[in-house]
Amino acid sequence: MRRMRLIGAALAVATLGLASTSVALAGGNGPQTFTQHAHGLTLVIHDVNPCTGAPATITLVVNDVFHGTINKTGSWFTGTIEGTFSLVPDDPAQPSYTGHFAQWFGDENNLKNDVEHSTFNIHGVGSDGSRISLHDNAQAAMNANGVITVSFDKVRCG
């Protein structure tokens, strides 16, 4: 299955948000938490139509919220990214799309395990009246020995 770089782009926005937040590591100081909001961020990338693989320029207008908690035994992060997109194919004979996307992701870890999970949805309408729809559901879990116990990424275009 094709791994969508659009998800990677959205996560890059998330990573920048987390990296720009100053969070003190919680030694014996108890848990440290933060929440960050951003609205109207614009990201333009050259990528592919996630359902056809055709090259395209994608413009995202993003709103997000991130929350994190860190303590001496682990951390918990969650984020929601949503907004609008436009997808303009390199081939002008193909339809352009506009619509909405939403992504949620989480990361939880402690001294015994680590879990990463996310969902990603796209719904759009093409310049020719066609529709694009995508759902991605992914999860990975690792035990304290570093053994991956669960791993899947299910993508469905419709």
Side-chain angles (χ1 to χ4, degrees):
M1 235 181 259
R2 214 177 280 123
R3 183 74 176 146
M4 295 181 355
R5 287 182 284 171
L6 184 57
I7 293 172
L11 285 174
V13 172
T15 302
L16 289 173
L18 291 174
S20 67
T21 303
S22 175
V23 178
L25 292 176
N29 300 325
Q32 303 292 312
T33 65
F34 73 91
T35 299
Q36 175 184 316
H37 299 265
H39 300 283
L41 301 174
T42 300
L43 177 64
V44 179
I45 56 175
H46 190 263
D47 204 331
V48 297
N49 177 319
C51 291
T52 67
T57 298
I58 301 168
T59 302
L60 304 171
V61 179
V62 176
N63 301 305
D64 63 45
V65 62
F66 299 102
H67 179 78
T69 300
I70 302 170
N71 64 33
K72 62 185 177 183
T73 62
S75 62
W76 174 77
F77 295 97
T78 186
T80 301
I81 304 168
E82 69 83 31
T84 60
F85 74 90
S86 66
L87 182 149
V88 179
D90 290 359
D91 179 354
Q94 295 182 5
S96 296
Y97 290 91
T98 59
H100 183 263
F101 73 93
Q103 179 180 23
W104 174 87
F105 65 91
D107 166 69
E108 298 80 29
N109 64 73
N110 58 39
L111 300 175
K112 298 188 184 235
N113 58 51
D114 182 33
V115 179
E116 312 277 336
H117 37 121
S118 69
T119 62
F120 185 67
N121 293 287
I122 297 172
H123 298 285
V125 177
S127 55
D128 62 354
S130 63
R131 297 196 176 273
I132 187 172
S133 179
L134 177 132
H135 175 74
D136 183 330
N137 179 25
Q139 182 171 335
M142 183 174 14
N143 66 22
N145 297 321
V147 176
I148 295 173
T149 57
V150 174
S151 178
F152 64 82
D153 187 2
K154 299 176 183 177
V155 180
R156 183 181 74 236
C157 278

